[in-house]
Amino acid sequence: MLNTFVLLGKVHSLPIIEGTNLSENQSTMQVECQRAFNDHGVLSDILTVRLWRGIAETCKVACHIGTIIAIKGRIEINIHTEQMELIAEKVEFIR
């Protein structure tokens, strides 16, 4: 089985580092990704990606609104909210 996603898009909102009860840094960041087609005037989607530990800290320092990034990660169901989450495993800064 394969559980992988890849996004290429622009940073829409900057990550804010939050500590958890396990003393692990985490944050969320929104990325705007263009659609491959025009869906009734909607040209892009804004997706929320969860960042952990070093990835969260690196993105906080290196990202600016409009920065183009590539994200590879996995999809999880949050056991507390029962909502799907995109978890970043690797982030590359394009420009």
Side-chain angles (χ1 to χ4, degrees):
M1 302 251 172
L2 186 61
N3 180 359
T4 302
F5 73 85
V6 176
L7 297 176
L8 179 64
K10 294 180 185 177
V11 174
H12 185 74
S13 70
L14 298 175
I16 298 172
I17 302 290
E18 305 166 352
T20 67
N21 57 356
L22 300 174
S23 299
E24 295 177 339
N25 290 336
Q26 70 162 341
S27 67
T28 56
M29 175 173 63
Q30 291 184 324
V31 179
E32 181 179 8
C33 300
Q34 289 185 343
R35 290 187 177 184
F37 56 91
N38 183 345
D39 186 17
H40 305 288
V42 178
L43 302 175
S44 62
D45 293 302
I46 297 174
L47 304 168
T48 301
V49 179
R50 181 160 307 279
L51 311 166
W52 285 94
R53 300 180 190 94
I55 294 174
E57 294 171 13
T58 300
C59 287
K60 181 182 182 221
V61 172
C63 286
H64 305 285
I65 300 292
T67 299
I68 298 175
I69 60 173
I71 302 173
K72 178 184 174 285
R74 68 184 185 278
I75 300 169
E76 285 187 1
I77 302 296
N78 184 310
I79 60 173
H80 303 292
T81 64
E82 297 184 4
Q83 297 292 317
M84 182 183 75
E85 291 187 336
L86 302 175
I87 310 296
E89 295 176 341
K90 183 171 183 168
V91 175
E92 295 284 332
F93 300 97
I94 307 301
R95 44 176 176 135

